[in-house]
């Protein structure tokens, strides 16, 4: 899987809306005109919202409710934007965003550059920073190494 494909996959991951559950209630109730502001009534939110940004070519929000094979893509609003494939968002390819995503999993990262090959490796640690709990594949960029590390831990 290429760096772009990994980033697309990670940005497309979703989890249950925090407002949905036994004590929270529903994310949409047509009888009273309520729609959850976090998930727009779908019951799902981005697992790593920091890896998404609003599509600059269309006016959609971050999520749509009906999937057609693309992660988070929608069949509700044809024709699809050729830039975001109808998702309303595109992946953010930045070191800061991937480090933030790893932090949500309780992981810290130390980036190491091999002198002989000049490749980057992300070494993962739990919050105590005592012993490594994982490594990324070698990459030509620091962000490539952190995306690899994140992909290994989801």
């Amino acid at each position: 899987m290429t760096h772009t494909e990994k980033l697309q996959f990670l940005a497309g991951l979703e989890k249950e809306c925090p407002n949905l559950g036994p004590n929270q209630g529903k994310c949409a109730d047509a009888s009273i005109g309520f729609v959850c502001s976090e998930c727009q009534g779908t019951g799902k939110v981005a697992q790593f919202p920091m890896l998404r940004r609003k599509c600059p070519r269309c006016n959609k929000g971050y999520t749509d409710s009906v999937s057609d094979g693309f992660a988070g893509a929608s069949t509700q609003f044809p024709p699809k934007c050729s830039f975001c494939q109808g998702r309303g968002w595109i992946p953010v390819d930045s070191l800061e965003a991937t480090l933030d995503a790893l932090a949500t999993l309780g992981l810290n990262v130390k980036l190491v550059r091999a002198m002989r090959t000049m490749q980057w490796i992300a070494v993962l640690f739990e919050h105590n920073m005592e012993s490594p709990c994982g490594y990324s594949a070698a990459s030509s960029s620091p962000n490539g190494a952190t995306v690899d590390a994140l992909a290994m831990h989801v």
Side-chain angles (χ1 to χ4, degrees):
M1 199 186 283
T2 67
H3 171 79
T4 303
E5 291 168 333
K6 285 178 189 173
L7 194 57
Q8 181 72 41
F9 167 76
L10 293 166
L13 290 176
E14 295 181 331
K15 63 182 180 180
E16 187 175 272
C17 179
N19 297 327
L20 189 65
N23 298 326
Q24 288 85 11
K26 297 185 217 177
C27 286
D29 190 342
S31 66
I32 59 170
F34 169 75
V35 177
C36 175
S37 61
E38 293 208 32
C39 69
Q40 290 77 44
T42 66
K44 299 283 184 189
V45 294
Q47 183 171 346
F48 302 114
M50 67 286 296
L51 295 180
R52 295 181 178 187
R53 77 176 171 100
K54 189 171 180 171
C55 177
R57 293 192 185 167
C58 68
N59 293 321
K60 291 189 196 174
Y62 288 94
T63 59
D64 295 321
S65 60
V66 181
S67 178
D68 69 351
F70 290 103
S74 170
T75 56
Q76 286 184 314
F77 305 101
K80 290 184 191 151
C81 170
S82 61
F83 198 57
C84 69
Q85 290 82 43
R87 290 182 304 270
W89 56 265
I90 58 173
V92 173
D93 191 8
S94 81
L95 180 59
E96 182 180 2
T98 52
L99 289 173
D100 287 347
L102 282 161
T104 66
L105 297 176
L107 298 169
N108 291 311
V109 178
K110 182 176 183 179
L111 290 165
V112 179
R113 191 164 191 184
M115 295 304 287
R116 185 181 303 158
T117 63
M118 299 307 283
Q119 295 284 305
W120 289 92
I121 297 171
V123 182
L124 301 177
F125 294 89
E126 298 289 338
H127 281 298
N128 61 16
M129 297 292 285
E130 289 178 8
S131 59
C133 62
Y135 301 88
S136 72
S139 177
S140 60
S141 73
N143 193 40
T146 57
V147 168
D148 284 345
L150 182 58
M152 290 175 4
H153 277 82
V154 291

